Amino acid sequence: MSSAIQIHAGKAAYAHLQEHGLQAQDVAVIPAAAGGPKGLILQGIDQWLFGEWLPAAPRERSLIGASIGSWRMAAASCADPVAAFQRLADLYCEQSYPEKPSANDVTKEIQSLLQAFIGGYESEIVQQPLHRLHLMTNRGRGALNAPNSEAKAKLGFVAATFANLASRSRLAKHLDRVVIGDARDPLFWLKAKFDSFETQFCALGVDNLAPALLASGTLPLIMEPVKNIPHTPAGTYWDGGIIDYHLALPYSRLPEKNARGNSELVLYPHFTDHIVPGWLDKSLPWRRAHTWQHRHWLDNVIMVSPSKDFLRSLPRGKLPDRKDFFYYGTNHQQRMTAWRTAIAESARMRDELIAFITKPDMQKVQALNF
């Protein structure tokens, strides 16, 4: 039977797996990529990781997400993460829109989704005893600082797209990175400047959790931008995935060991087998993180993703994605059935990951950045 998952490891992580295998106590950071419905395919792994495996080896861990990734990591921070991931998937599948939804239509639907997802759970998410939750958002600069019409926002993003095409560093003139996260986490490896973007760190609290999650998943021009997030700089906020689509961050700055002698590995459940730095880099293969100048950032990363055979077994031979809203149109039930079928198949990915952890087979591990 064909494999359902692929495992990639950076240079240091590969050597660690050869000697020690994958132990829960060695996992220090878990990133969660932007990508809309694609993130739903990780439900089986997410529920097992946060519901069983990681709690059996309690330690402080940094959870970092953008867009749907931030919502997944909020689910992971609930007192009952298994139920929270189920709630998130159910609500996400149940989205429905008119044939040509306005930005206001989409914004209201997502606000309703988030309220049903985290309403009443805010305190347990923010005050989780061990998890340190960080939500990636983007704040506009220049023409994107406070556009007073959709046309002006569109012009601002056209300019940002061309700037990014020239170089990723030029995008920094159009957007700032704002990380709204757990103030208990020193996060030294991320707070020291590592790229051209101005980055600000703001405290996550009960009063700004909902707007921060909304901002982290606010698609430009498809949704209304978010403003006036408590405890953050004034401005206009959009999807954190624009700058940090797949979270190509300087993970190699983590120490090899922590004070307790545990390794500091990054376990990255991902929906694809590569890491794209920003949303605007999707069509630029030379920007992929395993090929660029900072590929050493991934030295301590272990990435688990669906295999090509697994993807071919899903409805329409692919992951759920936003294009499905157009493909199925107002036939919402058919789309929901397809998405739920794909999510149910994620149990195969979970089972294969458990089997690998139980009995590591290095022939199943591919090089990530070397």
Side-chain angles (χ1 to χ4, degrees):
M1 186 175 179
S2 59
S3 178
I5 61 172
Q6 303 177 81
I7 301 173
H8 290 79
K11 192 172 184 178
Y14 191 95
H16 179 94
L17 287 175
Q18 281 184 308
E19 186 172 356
H20 305 288
L22 181 54
Q23 307 292 330
Q25 63 263 28
D26 292 323
V27 176
V29 177
I30 300 181
K38 296 172 187 174
L40 300 177
I41 204 61
L42 298 167
Q43 179 181 277
I45 287 177
D46 283 339
Q47 288 180 315
W48 177 74
L49 284 180
F50 293 101
E52 295 184 41
W53 191 60
L54 295 174
R59 57 165 288 179
E60 290 187 10
R61 295 183 173 93
S62 299
L63 313 184
I64 304 176
S67 198
I68 185 67
S70 70
W71 301 0
R72 286 174 48 223
M73 294 302 94
S77 299
C78 286
D80 184 348
V82 174
F85 279 114
Q86 187 64 53
R87 186 166 65 248
L88 174 59
D90 289 344
L91 291 165
Y92 204 101
C93 287
E94 289 164 8
Q95 292 177 77
S96 61
Y97 299 97
E99 188 171 354
K100 294 183 178 180
S102 66
N104 182 256
D105 291 331
V106 180
T107 300
K108 285 184 175 179
E109 179 75 7
I110 297 300
Q111 286 175 325
S112 176
L113 186 165
L114 283 174
Q115 176 56 36
F117 169 43
I118 65 164
Y121 301 95
E122 294 90 348
S123 293
E124 64 187 57
I125 293 172
V126 171
Q127 297 166 11
Q128 219 279 351
L130 295 174
H131 296 168
R132 305 293 180 249
L133 176 63
H134 302 280
L135 313 176
M136 309 293 270
T137 68
N138 290 176
R139 186 175 69 125
R141 300 184 65 172
L144 293 175
N145 178 46
N148 55 17
S149 70
E150 183 179 333
K152 288 186 177 180
K154 187 174 293 185
L155 287 173
F157 277 108
V158 167
T161 300
F162 280 106
N164 184 77
L165 185 61
S167 77
R168 182 164 158 81
S169 62
R170 293 191 184 183
L171 182 61
K173 296 180 179 179
H174 300 266
L175 293 164
D176 291 338
R177 176 191 290 118
V178 180
V179 183
I180 306 172
D182 195 323
R184 297 172 295 179
D185 191 347
L187 214 66
F188 68 90
W189 61 273
L190 190 61
K191 288 185 176 178
K193 191 169 179 63
F194 62 91
D195 63 9
S196 301
F197 293 96
E198 184 70 28
T199 303
Q200 299 192 54
F201 293 83
C202 305
L204 180 66
V206 170
D207 57 347
N208 66 1
L209 175 63
L213 287 170
L214 179 62
S216 189
T218 291
L219 298 168
L221 309 179
I222 294 176
M223 295 172 63
E224 297 173 342
V226 177
K227 301 179 181 179
N228 304 317
I229 301 175
H231 318 304
T232 67
T236 304
Y237 287 78
W238 279 283
D239 198 302
I242 306 172
I243 294 176
D244 297 299
Y245 186 46
H246 291 171
L247 303 177
L249 303 174
Y251 304 110
S252 59
R253 287 179 171 178
L254 287 161
E256 185 178 344
K257 301 277 186 180
N258 65 13
R260 294 185 176 183
N262 299 127
S263 294
E264 296 279 87
L265 296 177
V266 178
L267 179 60
Y268 191 169
H270 196 12
F271 50 75
T272 188
D273 62 0
H274 55 270
I275 296 174
V276 177
W279 188 80
L280 297 171
D281 301 319
K282 288 194 294 182
S283 60
L284 310 177
W286 58 89
R287 294 271 177 92
R288 291 183 179 180
H290 67 281
T291 65
W292 70 345
Q293 60 178 329
H294 300 304
R295 59 182 177 272
H296 64 279
W297 287 355
L298 307 179
D299 279 355
N300 55 347
V301 174
I302 298 166
M303 188 170 75
V304 181
S305 60
S307 70
K308 290 180 173 58
D309 285 338
F310 176 82
L311 296 178
R312 283 191 284 267
S313 74
L314 300 179
R316 299 183 61 216
K318 67 172 191 63
L319 294 173
D321 62 36
R322 290 192 188 93
K323 293 179 183 177
D324 291 339
F325 285 113
F326 301 98
Y327 179 83
Y328 293 104
T330 55
N331 192 339
H332 306 302
Q333 192 57 52
Q334 191 175 3
R335 173 185 53 79
M336 292 176 194
T337 299
W339 283 10
R340 287 177 176 137
T341 299
I343 292 169
E345 287 296 301
S346 72
R348 291 167 48 204
M349 295 175 60
R350 175 203 64 207
D351 292 345
E352 284 199 22
L353 178 58
I354 293 172
F356 174 81
I357 290 172
T358 303
K359 187 178 181 180
D361 179 359
M362 291 306 294
Q363 291 186 348
K364 297 182 181 296
V365 183
Q366 303 173 60
L368 179 60
N369 67 335
F370 63 101

